[in-house]
Amino acid sequence: MDRDRAELFAAVYERLRDIAQNQLAHERAGHTLQATALVHEAWLKLGGQTPGGGDALDRGAFLAAAAESMRRILIDHARGKGREKRGGGRVRVPLDPLELAARQEPHDILALDEAIEQLAARDPRLAEIAKLRIYAGLSAAETGNVLGIHARTVRRDWQIAQAFLHRAVNASPQATSEEEPE
Amino acid sequence: MTLGPEAWERAKQLFHDAVQLAPSERETFLAGTGEGGALLDEVRALLDAHVEATEPADADPPEPGRPSRPRTPAASEPLLASPGAVIDRYRILQEIGEGGFGTVYMAEQLRPVRRKVAFKILKAGMDTRQVIARFEAEQQALALMDHHNIARVFDAGATVTGRPYFVMELVRGVQITDYCDSAKLDTRRRIELFLDVAAAIQHAHQKGIIHRDIKPSNVLVTLHDGVPVPKVIDFGIAKATDHRLTEKTLFTEFRQLVGTPEYMAPEQAEMSGLDVDTRADVYSLGVLLYELLSGSKPFELKDSLQKGYDAVLRQIREIDPPPPSTRVDTAGRDVAALAERHGSDPHRLRTALRGDLDRVVMKALAKDRNRRYETVNGLAADLRRYLADEPVSAGPPTLRYRLGKLARRHRTVATVALAVFVSLVLGLGVALWQAEEAHAQAQRADQRSQEASEARALAERREAEVRSLLDRAQLAETEARDALAAEQQARREAEGLRLSAQAIALADEDPDTALRLAIEGAARAPGDDANNALYTALQRHYLLDTLHGHDAASRQLTVSASGRHAISADDSRLTIVWDLEERRALHRFEDHEQEMTAVGFLDRETLCWSASMDGTVRLRALADGSERGTWKTGSGIVWARSMATDDAVCVWTVDGRLLVGSPADADAAREVLRVEHPRRSAEVVGRRVVLLDGSSRLHVVDLGGEALPRVLALEDRDPPGYYNVHLWYQQSVEVDASGRYALVRTRSGDLFLVDLDGPSIRRRVVGSDARPGFCAGQALAPSGRWVFALRRSIPGSEMVGEILDAHSGTSVHRLGTNRDFDVRGPAWFARDSNLLITTNGPRLSLWDVGSGARVGSLANDPHGHHALRFVPGSDRFVTAGHSGGIDLWDPTPFESSRALTERSRADGGANLTRVSADGRLAIHQAPRTPERPGTEPPRLLLDLQSDRALAEIAPDLPGHCDVRFSADGLLLFVSAGDGSGSRVIETASRRVLGEPSPPGEFWDAARFTPDGRCLVARTGKEFVAYDLDRRRELGRVPVTWQLPAALSPDGRRLARTDGASRTVTVFDLARGEELHRIQHNALTFDAGYTPDGRYLCTVANDTGMRIHDAATFDTLAVGRVPTADYMELAFAPASDRVAVRCAAEILLFEVPSGRRLARWADPEVDYRACSFAPAGESLTVVDADGRVVHYPLDPLAYARSRIQEPLSAALMDRYDLGTPAERAARAEAQRAELASTRALIADALALYRGNELQKALHQLDRAASLRRNLGDQFHVLRAVVLTRLATEGAHDDPDQR
């Protein structure tokens, strides 16, 4: 089972990386990419490889793998850009990693990742929910399906996870100067 | 602050509980839990973060690099608007009200005039940018509203915290309901007051504005000299805020009511996307009237509100309110008080309401808008009938009611007519039988003569009755048929007027649909309104077509030199060649292996090529798409262009080689240069190639020339701080059309203008030694004269988009701030016109380079446009969109031009002393300078199109001169103020045709006859008519008033405008006698003959313009004209139209009927001249900004030529068109279509499961051909099928197994 998951992960990761990198490389700043669209595209491409046409892949497992893949892709992307300090004061950091990527704010992607790590340390289930919602762009109901919990619970937990992440991301110590460099 | 696992669980629980509460209650709740400090701190922190995180997203997300503004915590918002605070140019004085959507303050406008205004700040939770965009879209229309019962909306904007605000005329009044009650107005006076409100709303509807939020708090009553004057406020705001009844607008999260749904029409409450039209305002007015008359609202929604949103919806949509009169009964104990407030007693009040008023109100409140009054006028007319004791149209179901309805509903007409007819036929049958019987009796009683004669008499009587019955039957049938036809015609016309109004309202938002609606409107009800709608929609109809073919974002685009073809490539490496004239794809290629770099044409458009990062350039024949060669450069291509020699392509490769070659003969390719760090920033002009490398060095290569490649190093420096990280300032280079000047942006955001031929001129246009230029967007005009730059001029300030003089770097026009432009977005100058196009998200803004004015704003692709290319020789351009569509635009839908070009712009057009009526020619003369008294600056004849001075006019005439063009611009009359002479000059040849004035006489106010053979001018004392052919005077008439006279086309009669004596006097010139005086009731302004001489038009300050028979002087028609700012008359060559130009509007009338055909009015525009095209097909209008617009006189035909396909069935449904039978047929057709597409998709799914992919795809394509909007199932299935077909390839195709 673990081997299956690892293989699945590898396949999803590779596919998503291709799609996402292609998108990120060409995307003009200001255009928000849709995590859902990327994941959906990967699903179609992977799903297409199994003859028979049915849902050969376990959609839940796929989505979990997709979320984790997206996270790694974006972090790689951000690390690749370097970890420079971001200027400006308190910018509201959106919890949409692709928007962050498109805005070329590597700091924010890494900050978001750190925040999720912090959350995982505090409450693994909240972190799991956050990854699926943020990186795979899943709805509450889809997240519930993947994790086997009720959508209502997802919504409840998401509220608190969102608050936690928002605080963690925006409380980063980097926010200091607002001077324009001369 | 680290909590243990248990404490964390507890904290989560408390968070969940607290978050359900209103923010204000949370603290009390937390304090009451008895938990410890650290845990509660954690919960509080999370709750704060929750509030921040779930607050509506900021309207404009901080763009990278732009200094973000500090977010003010929600709690301190009101402080911003506290008295004394200054927002933009308004100082807040005091709060005067608070509503569901915001707070209203009295404020003082500081600039440009000081005045008190009402300042409304909307509550948080709206998308500020959208609100303002919607408001701006409506602003034009709002500006046209001018009614003393409407409070004007002046301005809109955003506060520092990003909340939208509106600035309105300050109305110091009380709510209309409160006023009526406190003044104890009786029913009649309430209705009279209400009629003023209705008139205001009707006025707005005529201007295409729907209020959408009429309620007592938006109708304020002020007293003027003791007379109550209602004012309707908040026009345009409901639309801007997208006022709709949703769960969110109705309740806060905690079920607190915010909206006022009682006044909302059912179709507004429904979220069906049905368009709200003027009938929604009729409904809201109905509610207002109900409340004014009965003292209560039709619904008390309090009960259903507690049951929630759905209950409210149901109440609004389904439950009919009780008639107003019954409210007097149900008022119970309060009835006496109610009656007293209405200045009446309970009985009288009940009687007053019962019957007609009940029915009028209930008709306005009909759930189905088709059953309401069609217009506010209808409602008002019924109320006026009530006041005049006439039967109302909303009559009871009696015979009178049915006869009344006869005029409205043709089905009823038919029924009534049939009934009448049937009864007549029956009567006829009986009578015939009786007559027969009588005849038979007569025969039987032949012998009995007595009886016989009686019977015969009876028979005759019966026969007479039969004949009369027959006549009546025929009459009834004809009447019924006429009534039916009239009814159908009336319905059609009403529908047409509604469509025209809707077209005007929609014109800014969706010009395409607006134009389609206007076409339908004009087909149903031709006339003034329909033409206005057509012109309005046409004026904004910029998008000619969208060419579909790309599914991925298309980024590479080239338009051929002839403008006939275009070639584009997208992210999925699909290349398409287009025929722009036939608007279709010619060829599609998909054979590059990597990302596309560029596309282009060669060899007089017989060939096209595509270049890619895969290192190849592929060449194909345009005629048949056949391959003509592939050039493998061996390294990825980052940039490529066609050479001006038209036989070779110039490419720059990843490894730095600049190669010139032809794919047709790849061996002949040669390496011209090797430049490291290729950047995609290069340009080719003529035979010159200019490359900018990664180290800011400019490489200039003149191919075929002797000169060696040159390298110009530009001073470069590292951009400061984080700009580097953000790749803020990408380097780029642009070259002007002459190839002499290059505009370079360096990494530090400095802009350099480099003279490529000069020794070493590189002027820094933006930026200085001391500090970098922070330029984040630029373009160089092809003329090399202008630069567009988006730059930050002062550190920390907003970025400013400007047009700069390329050579001096001085700012010529400030266009806007970074809110108006995409930072780092592209910009394009047109080569053949004065246009600059910039991007802002999905919108393209069009600027006139001459005046710096924004002349248009367009958008089609919601995700923006990547590339833009002008069609050579025109204003038209093509864009490639992120969604793949190739859009074809025409930003000047009416053939038009900008007349005031460089020379005239220098002095703002002030020295253009005369412009010919066709806008082609002008006289330019600078004012006399005090330094050189006596010397006259030269009078130049300018060709405005080319901006060339054609000649100096009559240089021998000294001093001040009067200059006049003939109506067709072919002749020019010049006369010297000192009486030393005059000339008639042919403008084309500048030949002097005559010198009419005798020595010593100064002629002015000259007017030519249409054929240019005669002219009439004014001396100090007389009007002189002069025959230019025979070179002799035709006669003189004394001047009574200093106004120009009109000469009949044959030169025989002269019409003199007598001004204050209120007459126009017509003289026979040959006999020198007065023929007739046309009497007006006020000051006369002007007179003019039609070119055929049959009609004489006179203009006076009473009714406006009158059309007379020129021979009999009978008044044939009257055309209303706003005479206060009357300027001139212009006649169509065929004499069938006259245009009346006033300062701010132009009216077009039919001659001799006087029917108004169109009206152009724009308070912003100062109309300077107008004339008809020689064949009379268009009206040319010149305004003070130098814009020359040719309006087609048959706008319907013109609109149809732009839009081929008719209104779709979906749109017909959306706009409620056609007879009930037609609607039913459409619905049936749609159902059938839906059923068959569903069947096809189901079939495709089955085939897909059976692995028959090709067949499945076929079924899906058939479904797609049937219906445009297909659901997700279709798209997912199609994507899956296509993916599998692509991945499995032919060897898996089950059909081949």
Side-chain angles (χ1 to χ4, degrees):
Chain A
M1 181 60 204
D2 272 353
R3 248 192 66 203
D4 283 357
R5 283 192 82 97
E7 263 174 33
L8 173 64
F9 175 75
V12 173
Y13 177 76
E14 207 171 292
R15 186 60 69 176
L16 263 176
R17 191 194 53 208
D18 288 353
I19 303 169
Q21 279 182 347
N22 188 34
Q23 295 267 12
L24 289 171
H26 292 89
E27 200 60 34
R28 236 173 63 185
H31 285 147
T32 308
L33 293 166
Q34 284 290 312
T36 329
L38 291 188
V39 172
H40 183 68
E41 194 177 337
W43 167 249
L44 281 177
K45 288 196 174 164
L46 284 170
Q49 286 174 345
T50 44
D55 284 0
L57 292 175
D58 171 1
R59 192 165 163 88
F62 164 79
L63 290 172
E68 183 58 26
S69 305
M70 282 302 294
R71 192 174 74 88
R72 289 202 200 169
I73 290 163
L74 286 159
I75 289 166
D76 290 349
H77 179 74
R79 293 221 167 98
K81 295 269 170 207
R83 190 191 250 274
E84 277 84 358
K85 195 177 114 180
R86 171 165 56 87
R90 278 185 78 197
V91 178
R92 169 127 152 230
V93 177
L95 295 186
D96 183 340
L98 287 153
E99 195 186 321
L100 294 178
R103 280 167 49 177
Q104 304 190 331
E105 302 273 21
H107 163 76
D108 292 339
I109 294 177
L110 299 180
L112 177 61
D113 183 51
E114 267 167 36
I116 289 184
E117 290 301 325
Q118 280 175 31
L119 181 61
R122 165 66 50 87
D123 194 321
R125 188 172 79 176
L126 293 194
E128 199 59 33
I129 290 174
K131 280 185 197 170
L132 286 170
R133 297 219 54 171
I134 294 176
Y135 290 114
L138 299 193
S139 69
E142 284 173 313
T143 310
N145 283 341
V146 173
L147 297 179
I149 53 178
H150 200 276
R152 209 171 38 235
T153 318
V154 174
R155 261 183 227 114
R156 260 167 60 106
D157 285 352
W158 171 236
Q159 267 185 337
I160 199 162
Q162 217 179 353
F164 186 98
L165 294 176
H166 185 81
R167 185 180 50 154
V169 168
N170 287 296
S172 315
Q174 280 85 349
T176 45
S177 151
E178 208 179 310
E179 300 274 298
E180 173 133 5
E182 244 307 79
Chain B
M1 211 172 62
T2 324
L3 302 178
E6 273 173 37
W8 170 249
E9 285 306 317
R10 176 70 180 140
K12 272 165 71 177
Q13 189 54 48
L14 288 180
F15 174 87
H16 289 315
D17 292 344
V19 90
Q20 315 287 327
L21 302 170
S24 53
E25 296 165 5
R26 289 176 187 164
E27 191 43 47
T28 330
F29 165 77
L30 289 180
T33 56
E35 289 291 344
L39 195 147
L40 281 193
D41 283 347
E42 174 73 6
V43 176
R44 285 193 191 109
L46 284 172
L47 283 170
D48 285 350
H50 170 78
V51 170
E52 252 183 77
T54 52
E55 222 178 289
D58 200 297
D60 28 6
E63 273 154 299
R66 186 167 124 205
S68 61
R69 40 167 203 258
R71 287 187 68 77
T72 318
S76 69
E77 286 277 8
L79 286 178
L80 264 171
S82 57
V86 174
I87 301 175
D88 291 348
R89 50 198 167 119
Y90 306 95
R91 185 200 310 278
I92 304 296
L93 298 177
Q94 68 187 82
E95 184 178 326
I96 51 178
E98 193 171 2
F101 285 90
T103 313
V104 189
Y105 299 89
M106 186 197 288
E108 185 177 31
Q109 180 175 336
L110 305 173
R111 295 183 304 273
V113 285
R114 269 183 186 259
R115 58 175 169 187
K116 296 241 171 88
V117 294
F119 192 91
K120 182 173 196 167
I121 302 187
L122 299 189
K123 286 192 174 166
M126 297 195 187
D127 183 336
T128 306
R129 187 180 280 197
Q130 274 191 21
V131 168
I132 294 172
R134 279 194 292 258
F135 175 77
E136 280 175 353
E138 186 107 327
Q139 208 166 14
Q140 190 93 17
L142 286 172
L144 290 178
M145 287 198 309
D146 182 16
H147 196 277
H148 65 283
N149 294 118
I150 294 178
R152 306 200 60 151
V153 181
F154 299 128
D155 195 7
T159 66
V160 190
T161 46
R163 291 209 196 155
Y165 67 74
F166 294 94
V167 183
M168 288 166 282
E169 179 183 337
L170 181 64
V171 181
R172 296 165 209 256
V174 293
Q175 238 171 269
I176 184 167
T177 42
D178 293 348
Y179 171 79
C180 289
D181 287 350
S182 64
K184 298 199 169 87
L185 295 193
D186 64 11
T187 302
R188 169 170 284 267
R189 289 180 59 202
R190 280 170 191 248
I191 292 174
E192 284 164 356
L193 200 57
F194 177 84
L195 282 172
D196 287 343
V197 180
I201 303 293
Q202 175 69 21
H203 174 82
H205 287 178
Q206 281 164 348
K207 305 289 175 192
I209 303 255
I210 303 169
H211 190 293
R212 293 161 194 256
D213 193 18
I214 301 169
K215 56 189 178 191
S217 61
N218 277 343
V219 183
L220 304 180
V221 177
T222 55
L223 289 178
H224 282 262
D225 304 328
V227 179
V229 177
K231 283 243 186 201
V232 183
I233 61 171
D234 272 12
F235 260 104
I237 290 174
K239 179 157 189 207
T241 51
D242 196 17
H243 184 50
R244 261 194 279 178
L245 188 63
T246 64
E247 181 102 44
K248 212 172 132 197
T249 58
L250 196 50
F251 301 107
T252 63
E253 236 177 297
F254 307 101
R255 304 248 143 220
Q256 287 166 322
L257 179 70
V258 290
T260 40
E262 283 98 341
Y263 297 91
M264 212 175 237
E267 68 266 22
Q268 273 174 294
E270 268 174 53
M271 299 280 295
S272 60
L274 192 69
D275 286 81
V276 168
D277 62 22
T278 54
R279 292 171 292 179
D281 279 353
V282 172
Y283 180 92
S284 305
L285 281 173
V287 181
L288 179 64
L289 181 60
Y290 191 108
E291 199 174 343
L292 285 175
L293 295 179
S294 74
S296 4
K297 293 170 191 157
F299 306 113
E300 287 304 334
L301 286 175
K302 278 187 210 120
D303 299 341
S304 29
L305 275 171
Q306 276 154 18
K307 291 182 213 140
Y309 172 68
D310 291 332
V312 174
L313 271 193
R314 197 170 326 112
Q315 174 122 38
I316 295 176
R317 282 196 311 233
E318 290 165 18
I319 299 176
D320 280 321
S325 61
T326 63
R327 285 308 181 90
V328 181
D329 301 320
T330 51
R333 289 214 315 256
D334 304 329
V335 68
L338 170 70
E340 206 213 319
R341 285 197 300 273
H342 287 246
S344 176
D345 61 61
H347 174 73
R348 282 217 337 257
L349 182 58
R350 194 181 303 121
T351 325
L353 299 187
R354 191 180 291 155
D356 281 350
L357 282 182
D358 270 351
R359 281 189 293 272
V360 169
V361 173
M362 296 311 280
K363 181 168 177 182
L365 288 180
K367 300 285 178 205
D368 175 0
R369 59 185 181 179
N370 287 321
R371 302 179 73 92
R372 273 177 229 149
Y373 289 100
E374 191 92 29
T375 60
V376 175
N377 260 355
L379 170 61
D382 250 6
L383 288 172
R384 266 186 230 106
R385 275 183 216 121
Y386 168 80
L387 293 179
D389 287 330
E390 289 167 15
V392 298
S393 79
T398 57
L399 180 63
R400 192 191 75 189
Y401 171 65
R402 287 170 68 185
L403 286 174
K405 280 197 98 171
L406 199 120
R408 300 190 51 80
R409 304 191 69 82
H410 72 274
R411 270 175 299 179
T412 328
V413 173
T415 322
V416 172
L418 191 68
V420 172
F421 187 71
V422 165
S423 68
L424 287 171
V425 168
L426 280 178
L428 189 73
V430 171
L432 272 174
W433 173 79
Q434 284 172 333
E436 287 270 303
E437 193 63 15
H439 276 292
Q441 280 178 9
Q443 273 176 350
R444 280 199 298 275
D446 197 22
Q447 265 76 44
R448 288 165 284 172
S449 59
Q450 180 90 16
E451 283 176 35
S453 64
E454 277 173 16
R456 209 166 281 123
L458 180 68
E460 274 158 16
R461 272 207 307 281
R462 289 285 176 236
E463 261 179 10
E465 277 172 28
V466 167
R467 266 196 297 278
S468 128
L469 276 170
L470 251 177
D471 287 349
R472 279 173 57 200
Q474 269 166 356
L475 199 65
E477 200 193 347
T478 324
E479 271 175 10
R481 218 177 267 140
D482 288 352
L484 193 76
E487 154 64 10
Q488 276 172 341
Q489 184 61 25
R491 272 187 74 90
R492 221 176 126 75
E493 274 173 21
E495 197 173 75
L497 291 176
R498 174 162 63 80
L499 285 170
S500 297
Q502 277 170 331
I504 290 177
L506 200 64
D508 281 312
E509 221 168 277
D510 180 358
D512 201 57
T513 306
L515 188 54
R516 280 166 217 271
L517 293 181
I519 290 174
E520 296 294 323
R524 284 167 173 75
D528 193 9
D529 288 327
N531 285 347
N532 286 347
L534 282 167
Y535 286 121
T536 308
L538 277 169
Q539 188 90 62
R540 292 160 181 77
H541 189 254
Y542 307 120
L543 182 64
L544 286 177
D545 221 334
T546 299
L547 308 175
H548 296 284
H550 290 294
D551 285 329
S554 43
R555 291 173 207 274
Q556 286 77 34
L557 175 69
T558 298
V559 174
S560 70
S562 71
R564 165 102 203 218
H565 298 108
I567 180 166
S568 59
D570 69 22
D571 281 356
S572 66
R573 305 190 298 277
L574 171 67
T575 304
I576 303 183
V577 183
W578 306 94
D579 184 326
L580 292 182
E581 267 168 35
E582 292 177 17
R583 299 183 194 174
R584 64 187 177 96
L586 294 174
H587 311 294
R588 304 157 66 95
F589 313 110
E590 217 170 349
D591 44 12
H592 282 290
E593 282 156 17
Q594 286 185 44
E595 159 194 354
M596 305 295 298
T597 307
V599 288
F601 296 95
L602 277 183
D603 200 13
R604 276 182 243 102
E605 287 173 46
T606 56
L607 302 170
C608 63
W609 56 265
S610 55
S612 149
M613 279 298 284
D614 66 11
T616 60
V617 181
R618 289 172 187 273
L619 189 71
R620 295 180 185 84
L622 209 59
D624 57 2
S626 62
E627 283 222 31
R628 289 301 170 86
T630 301
W631 175 18
K632 295 200 175 87
T633 63
S635 172
I637 298 172
V638 293
W639 173 90
R641 290 286 183 279
S642 293
M643 294 300 296
T645 47
D646 209 24
D647 58 358
V649 181
C650 181
V651 305
W652 202 4
T653 61
V654 171
D655 57 8
R657 288 173 298 146
L658 179 68
L659 304 166
V660 176
S662 164
D665 184 11
D667 295 338
R670 63 189 174 102
E671 180 177 324
V672 176
L673 195 64
R674 188 176 275 268
V675 177
E676 298 303 324
H677 313 302
R679 280 284 165 183
R680 292 186 189 201
S681 49
E683 188 125 42
V684 54
V685 174
R687 298 174 68 85
R688 173 171 283 181
V689 186
V690 181
L691 311 172
L692 182 68
D693 72 13
S695 324
S696 292
R697 283 180 309 173
L698 208 53
H699 300 260
V700 186
V701 190
D702 289 318
L703 295 167
E706 296 297 309
L708 290 171
R710 277 170 293 146
V711 182
L712 305 168
L714 292 168
E715 178 201 342
D716 200 8
R717 48 189 162 184
D718 279 338
Y722 58 82
Y723 289 102
N724 198 7
V725 184
H726 292 157
L727 304 175
W728 245 100
Y729 300 121
Q730 290 156 355
Q731 295 152 285
S732 75
V733 61
E734 284 176 73
V735 183
D736 73 352
S738 71
R740 176 161 178 194
Y741 293 104
L743 182 72
V744 179
R745 180 171 68 176
T746 63
R747 280 184 302 155
S748 52
D750 292 335
L751 280 189
F752 286 94
L753 187 76
V754 182
D755 183 342
L756 299 174
D757 293 333
S760 63
I761 302 174
R762 42 211 85 148
R763 180 182 291 280
R764 206 188 269 133
V765 181
V766 168
S768 67
D769 288 340
R771 51 185 302 275
F774 296 113
C775 176
Q778 75 290 314
L780 175 67
S783 65
R785 282 202 60 176
W786 315 112
V787 165
F788 166 73
L790 179 62
R791 60 158 168 176
R792 195 188 305 278
S793 41
I794 306 163
S797 66
E798 287 184 303
M799 304 203 87
V800 176
E802 288 169 298
I803 293 177
L804 309 174
D805 183 296
H807 295 274
S808 66
T810 49
S811 172
V812 180
H813 296 294
R814 185 183 188 275
L815 307 182
T817 67
N818 49 355
R819 272 179 297 183
D820 304 300
F821 304 99
D822 272 347
V823 173
R824 282 191 286 167
W828 302 273
F829 278 97
R831 179 176 286 258
D832 300 305
S833 66
N834 250 332
L835 272 185
L836 165 71
I837 302 185
T838 60
T839 62
N840 186 16
R843 296 204 81 80
L844 298 170
S845 297
L846 274 53
W847 309 88
D848 176 53
V849 178
S851 61
R854 191 202 296 256
V855 292
S857 171
L858 337 160
N860 190 35
D861 196 316
H863 301 294
H865 306 272
H866 288 306
L868 183 151
R869 300 286 176 267
F870 283 92
V871 175
S874 76
D875 267 351
R876 292 190 178 194
F877 57 89
V878 184
T879 56
H882 187 74
S883 310
I886 302 293
D887 294 328
L888 189 56
W889 303 90
D890 177 4
T892 44
F894 298 122
E895 185 200 333
S896 69
S897 49
R898 283 250 144 190
L900 302 189
T901 47
E902 315 239 339
R903 183 190 310 267
S904 34
R905 198 184 310 123
D907 47 36
N911 295 333
L912 287 185
T913 51
R914 291 271 184 260
V915 178
S916 71
D918 56 6
R920 271 192 319 113
L921 300 169
I923 299 295
H924 179 277
Q925 187 172 27
R928 265 170 289 191
T929 49
E931 296 88 59
R932 300 170 64 197
T935 51
E936 199 73 3
R939 281 178 296 274
L940 299 176
L941 177 66
L942 294 190
D943 180 329
L944 290 174
Q945 248 81 79
S946 63
D947 202 22
R948 276 186 310 125
L950 298 175
E952 190 178 342
I953 293 300
D956 55 321
L957 290 183
H960 166 72
C961 281
D962 187 46
V963 187
R964 305 279 169 152
F965 283 101
S966 63
D968 52 15
L970 296 177
L971 299 173
L972 192 61
F973 173 81
V974 197
S975 71
D978 64 357
S980 59
S982 63
R983 312 262 185 285
V984 172
I985 297 168
E986 192 177 59
T987 54
S989 64
R990 269 81 73 194
R991 207 155 47 93
V992 176
L993 299 181
E995 301 186 13
S997 65
E1001 231 177 40
F1002 172 46
W1003 285 14
D1004 73 347
R1007 276 178 175 178
F1008 290 90
T1009 51
D1011 57 7
R1013 281 181 46 217
C1014 304
L1015 71 81
V1016 57
R1018 186 177 60 191
T1019 72
K1021 303 182 294 285
E1022 291 163 316
F1023 288 111
V1024 191
Y1026 187 85
D1027 186 324
L1028 290 164
D1029 275 359
R1030 303 204 183 95
R1031 293 171 188 260
R1032 65 178 176 87
E1033 282 188 18
L1034 296 166
R1036 292 192 175 221
V1037 165
V1039 170
T1040 50
W1041 196 263
Q1042 293 295 328
L1043 288 165
L1047 192 60
S1048 67
D1050 58 9
R1052 290 186 179 173
R1053 289 179 175 193
L1054 186 142
R1056 184 184 70 193
T1057 309
D1058 301 322
S1061 53
R1062 304 180 175 186
T1063 51
V1064 171
T1065 315
V1066 182
F1067 293 89
D1068 183 316
L1069 285 171
R1071 282 185 283 167
E1073 67 186 30
E1074 185 182 318
L1075 287 175
H1076 187 78
R1077 281 183 191 221
I1078 296 171
Q1079 188 70 43
H1080 274 270
N1081 301 320
L1083 197 76
T1084 47
F1085 289 141
D1086 202 0
Y1089 280 95
T1090 55
D1092 62 3
R1094 288 179 59 194
Y1095 306 104
L1096 173 64
C1097 295
T1098 56
V1099 185
N1101 202 14
D1102 48 5
T1103 43
M1105 184 197 58
R1106 287 198 213 162
I1107 302 173
H1108 309 269
D1109 185 311
T1112 65
F1113 306 107
D1114 291 337
T1115 304
L1116 303 175
V1118 175
R1120 294 205 170 268
V1121 169
T1123 46
D1125 49 4
Y1126 165 81
M1127 307 297 276
E1128 68 168 342
L1129 294 172
F1131 294 94
S1135 302
D1136 55 347
R1137 305 262 195 283
V1138 58
V1140 185
R1141 175 167 71 88
C1142 305
E1145 68 185 282
I1146 291 178
L1147 302 156
L1148 180 70
F1149 294 97
E1150 189 177 68
V1151 178
S1153 72
R1155 201 158 61 94
R1156 195 166 92 180
L1157 297 173
R1159 169 174 179 262
W1160 293 271
D1162 189 340
E1164 304 284 303
V1165 177
D1166 180 5
Y1167 295 108
R1168 279 289 177 84
C1170 71
S1171 67
F1172 289 85
E1177 72 283 1
S1178 64
L1179 180 73
T1180 302
V1181 173
V1182 185
D1183 68 29
D1185 289 338
R1187 198 168 26 216
V1188 182
V1189 183
H1190 308 281
Y1191 291 103
L1193 287 186
D1194 185 351
L1196 182 58
Y1198 182 65
R1200 281 185 168 142
S1201 73
R1202 281 177 83 90
I1203 286 200
Q1204 272 89 21
E1205 70 252 60
L1207 207 60
S1208 67
L1211 279 175
M1212 290 184 83
D1213 276 345
R1214 212 167 128 199
Y1215 289 97
D1216 231 354
L1217 293 184
T1219 64
E1222 283 165 2
R1223 283 181 221 177
R1226 277 205 305 272
E1228 183 50 45
Q1230 282 187 10
R1231 267 195 296 278
E1233 192 185 275
L1234 193 63
S1236 44
T1237 46
R1238 277 200 187 132
L1240 283 168
I1241 294 174
D1243 196 21
L1245 189 62
L1247 288 165
Y1248 169 78
R1249 291 204 172 114
N1251 235 356
E1252 301 196 67
L1253 298 178
Q1254 287 293 358
K1255 286 185 187 166
L1257 189 62
H1258 180 66
Q1259 294 301 73
L1260 287 175
D1261 287 345
R1262 276 181 60 197
S1265 69
L1266 275 180
R1267 209 175 148 78
R1268 262 198 192 168
N1269 297 326
L1270 291 157
D1272 287 345
Q1273 196 194 5
F1274 169 84
H1275 292 290
V1276 171
L1277 187 59
R1278 187 158 188 276
V1280 171
V1281 169
L1282 284 175
T1283 314
R1284 282 197 48 201
L1285 277 172
T1287 49
E1288 289 166 25
H1291 60 277
D1292 270 351
D1293 193 332
D1295 291 348
Q1296 293 182 8
R1297 276 182 202 159

